[in-house]
Amino acid sequence: MIIQLEKNISRQAKINILDLLAEKQLKTKEVATQVSIYLVSIGMINFDIREIGNMDGVKDIHKVDDNYKLVSSKWKVKPTKVVLDKDVYVGSNGFSIMAGPCSVENENQVHQMVDFLKENDIKIMRGGVFKPRSSPYSFRGVGIEGLKMFYGICNAHGIKIITEVMEPEQIDLMYDYIDIFQVGARNSQNFNLLDALGKVDKPVMIKRGLSGTIDELLYSAEYVFSGGNEKIILCERGIRTYEKAYRNTFDINAVPVLKEKSHLPVIIDPSHGTGARHLIEPVALAGIMAGADGAIVEIHKQPEKAMSDGQQSLDFYEAKILFERMRKTYSFNKRLSAN
Amino acid sequence: MIIQLEKNISRQAKINILDLLAEKQLKTKEVATQVSIYLVSIGMINFDIREIGNMDGVKDIHKVDDNYKLVSSKWKVKPTKVVLDKDVYVGSNGFSIMAGPCSVENENQVHQMVDFLKENDIKIMRGGVFKPRSSPYSFRGVGIEGLKMFYGICNAHGIKIITEVMEPEQIDLMYDYIDIFQVGARNSQNFNLLDALGKVDKPVMIKRGLSGTIDELLYSAEYVFSGGNEKIILCERGIRTYEKAYRNTFDINAVPVLKEKSHLPVIIDPSHGTGARHLIEPVALAGIMAGADGAIVEIHKQPEKAMSDGQQSLDFYEAKILFERMRKTYSFNKRLSAN
Amino acid sequence: MIIQLEKNISRQAKINILDLLAEKQLKTKEVATQVSIYLVSIGMINFDIREIGNMDGVKDIHKVDDNYKLVSSKWKVKPTKVVLDKDVYVGSNGFSIMAGPCSVENENQVHQMVDFLKENDIKIMRGGVFKPRSSPYSFRGVGIEGLKMFYGICNAHGIKIITEVMEPEQIDLMYDYIDIFQVGARNSQNFNLLDALGKVDKPVMIKRGLSGTIDELLYSAEYVFSGGNEKIILCERGIRTYEKAYRNTFDINAVPVLKEKSHLPVIIDPSHGTGARHLIEPVALAGIMAGADGAIVEIHKQPEKAMSDGQQSLDFYEAKILFERMRKTYSFNKRLSAN
Amino acid sequence: MIIQLEKNISRQAKINILDLLAEKQLKTKEVATQVSIYLVSIGMINFDIREIGNMDGVKDIHKVDDNYKLVSSKWKVKPTKVVLDKDVYVGSNGFSIMAGPCSVENENQVHQMVDFLKENDIKIMRGGVFKPRSSPYSFRGVGIEGLKMFYGICNAHGIKIITEVMEPEQIDLMYDYIDIFQVGARNSQNFNLLDALGKVDKPVMIKRGLSGTIDELLYSAEYVFSGGNEKIILCERGIRTYEKAYRNTFDINAVPVLKEKSHLPVIIDPSHGTGARHLIEPVALAGIMAGADGAIVEIHKQPEKAMSDGQQSLDFYEAKILFERMRKTYSFNKRLSAN
């Protein structure tokens, strides 16, 4: 059960509610986000919840029998809109494209990418600066100085950025140079990182784990929300299966299921979801018909020279076509389901 | 390497070719289908294949370095069209819908379904009469008499049928009452059944195994083709993964990959691919954008009363909407990729 | 609920029981095996089963709330002993070794193998004559004539054989030349084959499917048992997972779980379970400590020249050591758990 | 290629080696551990490595064509012994048992456990104080104060402890109160944590990821080693598969494969590997026959009252039997393979 409190609730009113919850044998956690205050109560609800709903200081109340609570669509039916700027947001309505290289490499690359994105009306650039790599001997990214450069150029041109954060300590260092914190697949259940991102007031995009379940992804989102940050984006990026014909198996079922279970926006990553250039378009368009709110795509001016993930990066020519087709498909799907 | 022979090749010309292949240390299998004669040669090709291409009686020749040969798009680039009747076909162009109940139950059900399909211009009805069931105590279908009834009604109304065959011995019994033989997921590597279906001149639809790989599905098709039957349809129906949120995980990547690797038509089964009514539409439309040539869908007048698979069957109202949206999506995708 | 009937039950006594079961709204299937007659009743049991237990003609009765019934240890607690000959059996007590080549190749090979097995006191030889192969162009076995030769030599020397049957039609052809019918992993849910093997009075060993669940394996066994054949052996042979370091992932958990859930003997196949020669011994010994009743192992005089599966076949030197160590480990484990 | 340098190598000698490596187009990383100095060179080795082997200051040199290097058995054939104290070590010879509760709960619990461990000659106690939990609303451990209590009691009684560390920042806080840092399955590819543990001089046990590959586990170990810490223990704890009959599928193949590919000790976790009390013993004994160097087991005085993982915790009576049987099995296996 979730109880949303009035912002200006009196101390005594809150105590009254907490006392009643304790009396009902419920374990209650108070969650204060940048938006509101909630009481998340866990336990047997065998009474009429209007008893609490009618108390002073209660704004809203719902039973939520999912194990995740605040991210559940049983709590909030209306889709969440994660706002980055007055014109830039993810979710709710409109299709958000995030595009850019796997790894940020140098200034020239960022400039070229920014120009290309602006030409195509893309408002969010992706680019890794801390790269999680299986082997310690692989290229591990340009680091914090690279991030400053990356952010500086993008910010000067009105482009928002998304990049991966790998540990709680990096959050403060990165904070001034980032628009969306990305939690990578390998950190999808790094609970300390999720806790720490709950304390931040910038959006967080959480990728599903390598073999993460739908429930685990929603629980990870619940960590961030219950930590205090409501600006959460979910990302389906393919799962690990027995099939060796592709790097990962994009889980198309996950898209409508996440949209149904949660009010959070769902982004698809067809680059990692397939691991192969020529599969990105069909899987991206598929994901849109399945209900995605946006896509994050790896592109590179010269994929064959990319410092990482070249095999799954589109060149500018391919990317331009993809952007157009994704937008047309999104509009088509909106019209189709409106009839 | 595949060598297609002229239909009227002389005995001597064929001997000359076979002698040369033996001399080149290649292991050769002669494949005679209803359409043509092929020599499939396996081994190191370290010579100019035009040496053979120029011989008498050779119609076409290609190196095919895939392990599957005749079903490979390296052998035949043009998509295969599996023809059922002058107006009814699968693949090549146009979107084929196969719809009907999981299990054929009785005459009344078939009549109602036929009426519904005709209203919606659906030309192929699905319906199981031999049901593979995990438990021997579950309902196992109405059997051969039910098939005769099913076929009789459909045939009288110009509707083609597809139903599952479970063992070689059933083929002859079923032959006069069937339009497409379906090989189920659990029989996807029943090689004796595949061999036997190679001897038949009616189309065969092969479902991917429960955890079958792309390569295994293509090999299974190669069994049918090399047995003599070129009328093959592939079907992606979801795979078994660790995820418990749905019955199977529909493998959207498989659609473009199968279309790329093979010239055979690819049908999607969003009913088994998801196992849940409300997921069928988003996943079906996704599959179309990924390149599917058709869909097979479980529908039932009263899903809650179905003898099997009710939870993943659409009612007539839902089905009607789905058919329209699938057709519109197919047309949209054709236009999109034509630009 | 399972009701075992007296062999000499009167017609009227049986009718009385069936009438009562029908009155109780239970769906009942009569199962007559070579050993006994059972009534398997499915439905809500909300009455005292002694009411039936006390009726004339009832030998035994138990509630079995598993979905599989006759193979459940809730029906029969005592381990089943599958008898091949007065000294040769599988299960119950003692460790059964089945060894031999992946494929039977020729007379000489069989003679050498028989000599080797006799030297090592191995009483059951494995060897494929119908080989299920992913590709239609691979070697597919020496066939029925090879089986006659294989059986003839073994039988003359007192060695029993196990070989794979691939379709119902083969059963009669093979019947006179076989001691144990093996159902391969790809046919683990070939229900028509399982049904047909229920009509046979020779033992059947069922391999777990490529990605078969524990429950599916037990259901497959239930098919054979409810078809009339109680002589069933289960085989764990590794499952398909994401891990590419080995051909299959041997599922060690399956061994104690199958032993706990069922009264049937459990054989391990460390050859397919690992796919690599040097892993066979550690995994075989592990399987014994986990409770296996026997092992089936691929061996070849010259593995590097085997017509199939050479990479996972032991040579005679390695096999001899393995046999000794398996037997010692089995004895050790018996002593250990006796204390 | 790995080059181990003499401890007292001169500055000039090192420069000479590095110059030659650069000339050979090799990318070299210098690794200084608490034990030695290594140069790890990556690239094409198309020359006689004795050319470098003979240079001043070189102690040892080997080609290592695995992607992981310093943890490979191609670098170091002899098994690594991770020493905790003069009598307490993991690996090399002898079987190490780590046992204790999933979560440390209170002083009384730790005292009882210490007494029990001492009675059974167990030298390492496990116990979580920071608990990674899927849901933010679950019990998350007693934290750093609990760790101090836990360590204090154990240390006073000569018991070493192992507990999970979840982020780099915790390392310093925990350092004085810990004997072995455990990296949990969900953090198995938390590269920042692995990097940070490379700077520490206490042993690190790395659990395989939920669906981690063998290679990924070895790469994770390579992170710690190349960071400077050679005291690494690997842990197989079951993987995520489609099978729902148990919490995880213990991967028995992993044990001999890890022992073969790496010189590091391998510990098995049959508690998480099965998720069920009654499966722990058979799987533990199996793991020992497969070559494990030790086991980590969850035990609890009253499993039904445990704050977490009660369903997979043994009580003291069961644990005592398990310890004895594990030790006997280890001795048996040593004798068996010595013959």
Side-chain angles (χ1 to χ4, degrees), chain B residues 133 137 140 195 222-223, chain C residues 133 137 140 195 222-223:
Chain B
R133 300 302 292 268
Y137 306 120
R140 294 171 70 183
D195 272 339
E222 187 82 13
Y223 264 90
Chain C
R133 301 302 292 269
Y137 306 118
R140 294 173 68 182
D195 271 339
E222 186 82 15
Y223 264 89

Side-chain angles (χ1 to χ4, degrees), chain D residues 77-326:
Chain D
V77 175
K78 229 181 97 186
T80 286
K81 182 173 181 168
V82 174
V83 178
L84 291 166
D85 206 341
K86 73 178 148 59
D87 292 338
V88 191
Y89 59 86
V90 178
S92 172
N93 199 19
F95 189 72
S96 302
I97 301 176
M98 307 171 185
C102 176
S103 297
V104 169
E105 294 167 11
N106 54 54
E107 276 193 45
N108 188 36
Q109 177 211 37
V110 176
H111 274 296
Q112 288 179 330
M113 187 64 70
V114 163
D115 290 347
F116 176 70
L117 295 181
K118 288 183 76 79
E119 268 169 48
N120 286 279
D121 198 26
I122 307 290
K123 290 167 181 161
I124 307 173
M125 178 168 164
R126 64 150 289 150
V129 297
F130 300 111
K131 299 300 303 172
R133 300 302 293 270
S134 295
S135 163
Y137 306 118
S138 300
F139 173 62
R140 295 171 67 182
V142 293
I144 192 72
E145 290 311 312
L147 176 63
K148 290 178 187 177
M149 174 275 285
F150 173 27
Y151 180 79
I153 297 170
C154 288
N155 189 42
H157 291 82
I159 299 282
K160 303 292 175 190
I161 72 165
I162 176 170
T163 199
E164 180 165 352
V165 57
M166 288 178 68
E167 59 167 325
E169 275 185 315
Q170 289 173 336
I171 296 174
D172 281 352
L173 299 174
M174 296 172 75
Y175 185 84
D176 287 333
Y177 314 103
I178 194 166
D179 298 297
I180 307 177
F181 286 98
Q182 177 181 312
V183 176
R186 284 164 191 75
N187 278 311
S188 196
Q189 292 196 299
N190 181 336
F191 302 119
N192 292 37
L193 180 60
L194 296 167
D195 271 338
L197 289 166
K199 305 299 166 219
V200 168
D201 62 357
K202 294 198 173 182
V204 175
M205 184 174 91
I206 309 174
K207 288 198 159 185
R208 186 179 184 183
L210 294 188
S211 66
T213 64
I214 295 287
D215 274 12
E216 286 171 345
L217 178 55
L218 292 171
Y219 277 133
S220 290
E222 187 82 14
Y223 264 89
V224 177
F225 199 128
S226 71
N229 185 353
E230 300 197 7
K231 296 174 185 164
I232 305 166
I233 302 163
L234 304 174
C235 180
E236 161 59 33
R237 46 78 73 200
I239 58 172
R240 187 168 270 182
T241 70
Y242 66 86
E243 177 60 73
K244 303 171 192 179
Y246 6 93
R247 184 174 175 184
N248 290 299
T249 302
F250 187 81
D251 180 3
I252 192 80
N253 293 5
V255 178
V257 170
L258 287 170
K259 292 294 296 176
E260 172 205 1
K261 288 184 184 273
S262 174
H263 51 83
L264 299 172
V266 175
I267 294 293
I268 54 172
D269 177 349
S271 307
H272 289 88
T274 62
R277 264 164 106 157
H278 66 292
L279 299 177
I280 292 173
E281 183 185 301
V283 171
L285 303 185
I288 294 169
M289 292 308 288
D293 296 295
I296 182 163
V297 186
E298 289 187 347
I299 64 179
H300 197 279
K301 191 151 204 229
Q302 291 174 285
E304 59 288 359
K305 295 196 180 167
M307 295 188 75
S308 52
D309 276 358
Q311 82 294 345
Q312 69 186 35
S313 297
L314 299 179
D315 65 25
F316 285 2
Y317 177 78
E318 295 163 327
K320 194 177 186 61
I321 294 173
L322 177 69
F323 297 154
E324 277 173 25
R325 291 186 176 171
M326 289 200 295

Side-chain angles (χ1 to χ4, degrees), chain B residues 11-254:
Chain B
R11 207 172 150 272
Q12 188 54 49
K14 201 203 271 185
I15 288 170
N16 293 346
I17 298 169
L18 290 169
D19 283 352
L20 184 60
L21 293 170
E23 196 183 290
K24 301 281 191 193
Q25 312 267 345
L26 298 172
K27 229 182 88 193
T28 297
K29 179 181 163 119
E30 183 176 338
V31 170
T33 72
Q34 287 109 18
V35 177
S36 195
I37 307 170
Y38 310 87
L39 302 176
V40 180
S41 289
I42 292 171
M44 274 282 281
I45 315 274
N46 47 13
F47 54 91
D48 185 339
I49 64 169
R50 283 171 298 185
E51 186 181 341
I52 295 168
N54 292 332
M55 291 176 80
D56 273 358
V58 172
K59 187 170 170 195
D60 201 359
I61 183 164
H62 284 291
K63 271 198 200 181
V64 178
D65 53 9
D66 293 323
N67 287 323
Y68 39 88
K69 303 287 178 191
L70 290 157
V71 303
S72 170
S73 54
K74 288 181 186 144
W75 165 244
K76 178 164 172 282
V77 175
K78 229 182 97 188
T80 286
K81 181 172 182 169
V82 174
V83 177
L84 290 167
D85 206 341
K86 74 179 147 59
D87 292 336
V88 191
Y89 59 87
V90 178
S92 175
N93 197 20
F95 190 72
S96 301
I97 301 175
M98 308 172 184
C102 177
S103 296
V104 169
E105 295 169 9
N106 55 54
E107 276 193 46
N108 189 36
Q109 178 210 35
V110 176
H111 273 296
Q112 288 178 329
M113 188 62 72
V114 163
D115 289 346
F116 176 70
L117 296 180
K118 288 184 77 76
E119 267 168 49
N120 286 279
D121 198 26
I122 306 289
K123 291 168 179 160
I124 307 173
M125 179 166 162
R126 64 150 289 150
V129 298
F130 299 112
K131 299 301 303 171
R133 300 302 292 268
S134 296
S135 163
Y137 306 120
S138 300
F139 171 63
R140 294 171 70 183
V142 292
I144 191 73
E145 290 311 312
L147 177 63
K148 290 178 188 176
M149 174 275 285
F150 174 26
Y151 180 79
I153 296 170
C154 288
N155 190 40
H157 291 82
I159 298 282
K160 303 292 174 190
I161 72 165
I162 177 169
T163 198
E164 180 165 354
V165 57
M166 288 178 68
E167 59 166 324
E169 275 185 315
Q170 290 174 335
I171 295 173
D172 282 352
L173 298 174
M174 296 172 77
Y175 184 84
D176 288 333
Y177 314 101
I178 193 167
D179 298 296
I180 307 177
F181 286 98
Q182 177 181 311
V183 177
R186 282 165 192 75
N187 278 312
S188 195
Q189 291 196 299
N190 182 334
F191 302 119
N192 292 35
L193 180 60
L194 297 168
D195 272 339
L197 289 168
K199 305 298 166 224
V200 169
D201 62 358
K202 293 199 175 184
V204 175
M205 185 174 89
I206 310 172
K207 288 197 161 190
R208 186 179 184 182
L210 293 187
S211 66
T213 64
I214 295 288
D215 275 12
E216 287 172 345
L217 178 56
L218 292 171
Y219 277 133
S220 291
E222 187 82 13
Y223 264 90
V224 178
F225 199 127
S226 71
N229 185 353
E230 300 197 7
K231 296 175 185 162
I232 306 166
I233 302 163
L234 305 174
C235 181
E236 160 60 31
R237 49 76 73 201
I239 58 172
R240 189 166 270 184
T241 69
Y242 66 85
E243 177 60 70
K244 303 171 192 177
Y246 7 91
R247 184 174 176 185
N248 290 300
T249 302
F250 186 82
D251 180 2
I252 192 81
N253 293 4

